[in-house]
Amino acid sequence: MQTQEVPRPTNIAPIALLPSNPLHTRLLNVLLIIWRAMTISRKVAIGSAIVGFFIVVGLFGPFFMPYNPNATSNLFIAPPSGAHWLGTTVVGEDIFSQLIYGTRTSVFWGLATGLLVTVLSVLVGLIGGYFGGWTDDSLTLATNVSLVLPALPLAIVLAAYFPRGPLTIAMVILITNWAWQARVLRSQTLSLRSREFVTAARASGEHTWRIIFFEIFPNEIGLVVAGFVSTTIYVILTWAALEFLGLGDGSIPSWGSMLYWAQQAGALGGGLWWWFIPPGFCIATLGAGLALINFGIDEIADPRLRPERPVKATKSKKEFHADRLSEANHDSGVGGLLRNERA
């Protein structure tokens, strides 16, 4: 059999493969996606602005504090003034400096603890829901036991028997608050592990952990983000409650420790409002910002929760006059045709 060689054209220019996008372009694209997600909902935008404000204050505020938050002075229980914007404590400490430094402690320890709780919940939910069998039974048993135990009383007991400090409170909250989100993610994983794309990944020989974290986990990102936000709200409130009860390190300024020392000094009965209102207002505002983000995420994920825009029932004056003019022109045109036909 003779084979005939097909001539190849020589006048075709070679195609140059363009390199992938540089790192700064990919970072800009990620930031653009995040910006669109934040501005698609008004609630998410407002909540993100509130949380971003506290993060900026926590990052850069301590560098501009007028006083050392633990420094004492002879100016005891001074009301707010130009020298001390939020007054002083019973030992002459500047409350504004304590509030700024406490923002860094409360916000970043709260976010870090919420992230740890979310990571543990994701691991337990994904592993138990995917593997099943005795692995799922063991993790489900631990989850059910954790759900039955009251979280806050257990956290108080655990925090009282360990050395006081932020790390102790973070570990106590981690132990007592991971089960709710883990149960939700386990249920979702049980539903996803029998889908066609997971079966195809198994048939193609994909590794088990790759299937879990690259096939199943991306489909649960919405639940994870919403769970992280709601968990962080609870973590910040629990953190402030434990420190208010005296289970934290009182030497480290934070919103909860400020409320603790104000309660010990009788600030509420003595009318020292500038001592306990600012940290309480910060806790409430940060919680409201996180709650707005959570509500906005729910509206984005479920269009049925989005508020309906009111339909305009009346026309504007310009539209009304334009309609009347067009009707008049139409009537005059029809009348002219009838007169011509009669003639």
Side-chain angles (χ1 to χ4, degrees):
M1 180 183 293
Q2 296 180 354
T3 58
Q4 183 178 4
E5 184 179 358
V6 179
R8 297 180 180 179
T10 58
N11 56 350
I12 298 178
I15 300 175
L17 297 177
L18 295 177
S20 59
N21 293 330
L23 180 61
H24 67 276
T25 304
R26 285 180 285 175
L27 290 177
L28 289 177
N29 292 333
V30 172
L31 293 176
L32 182 60
I33 293 173
I34 296 174
W35 175 256
R36 289 177 180 174
M38 290 172 55
T39 56
I40 194 173
S41 172
R42 185 176 299 177
K43 293 179 181 179
V44 175
I46 297 175
S48 301
I50 294 174
V51 176
F53 170 76
F54 281 106
I55 291 176
V56 171
V57 171
L59 282 174
F60 303 105
F63 297 104
F64 301 97
M65 287 189 303
Y67 304 97
N68 188 330
N70 293 323
T72 60
S73 65
N74 296 325
L75 195 62
F76 306 137
I77 318 179
S81 61
H84 300 277
W85 291 0
L86 292 178
T88 59
T89 65
V90 291
V91 294
E93 297 170 332
D94 184 66
I95 296 178
F96 179 75
S97 299
Q98 289 186 344
L99 185 70
I100 297 300
Y101 192 90
T103 301
R104 168 181 287 186
T105 304
S106 299
V107 171
F108 288 103
W109 273 106
L111 292 176
T113 307
L115 182 61
L116 288 176
V117 173
T118 304
V119 170
L120 180 59
S121 301
V122 168
L123 291 176
V124 173
L126 289 177
I127 293 173
Y130 182 80
F131 285 102
W134 65 269
T135 303
D136 185 30
D137 294 339
S138 303
L139 294 177
T140 302
L141 177 61
T143 303
N144 293 333
V145 171
S146 181
L147 289 175
V148 171
L149 295 175
L152 185 58
L154 180 60
I156 293 173
V157 173
L158 292 176
Y161 281 94
F162 289 95
R164 297 182 180 182
L167 185 59
T168 299
I169 296 180
M171 292 297 102
V172 166
I173 294 176
L174 175 64
I175 294 172
T176 58
N177 292 280
W178 60 270
W180 290 101
Q181 190 176 0
R183 191 177 184 88
V184 174
L185 293 175
R186 172 187 174 273
S187 301
Q188 188 68 16
T189 305
L190 286 174
S191 174
L192 291 174
R193 71 177 184 178
S194 59
R195 300 288 180 87
E196 290 80 4
F197 65 92
V198 177
T199 305
R202 285 200 207 98
S204 62
E206 292 287 349
H207 196 272
T208 301
W209 297 110
R210 181 175 178 82
I211 295 175
I212 292 176
F213 292 105
F214 288 90
E215 299 292 341
I216 296 178
F217 178 69
N219 292 280
E220 299 178 357
I221 288 294
L223 289 175
V224 173
V225 173
F228 167 73
V229 175
S230 59
T231 300
T232 304
I233 297 174
Y234 184 81
V235 165
I236 291 175
L237 296 178
T238 305
W239 194 291
L242 293 176
E243 289 189 324
F244 176 73
L245 295 175
L247 300 175
D249 189 354
S251 62
I252 301 177
S254 65
W255 296 340
S257 64
M258 291 178 67
L259 293 175
Y260 168 75
W261 289 116
Q263 186 266 340
Q264 291 293 317
L268 182 61
L272 307 179
W273 57 267
W274 56 85
W275 196 349
F276 59 87
I277 286 183
F281 177 78
C282 289
I283 294 172
T285 305
L286 180 59
L290 292 170
L292 286 174
I293 295 176
N294 200 8
F295 295 155
I297 292 174
D298 290 340
E299 291 181 358
I300 294 173
D302 190 355
R304 294 174 297 179
L305 299 177
R306 299 175 187 174
E308 297 182 358
R309 295 183 178 180
V311 181
K312 294 183 179 180
T314 58
K315 297 180 179 180
S316 62
K317 292 183 178 180
K318 292 183 178 180
E319 293 176 350
F320 180 76
H321 290 304
D323 293 343
R324 291 294 301 272
L325 182 60
S326 61
E327 291 176 359
N329 293 334
H330 177 71
D331 294 340
S332 62
V334 173
L337 290 175
L338 292 175
R339 286 192 296 269
N340 292 334
E341 290 178 358
R342 291 176 182 175

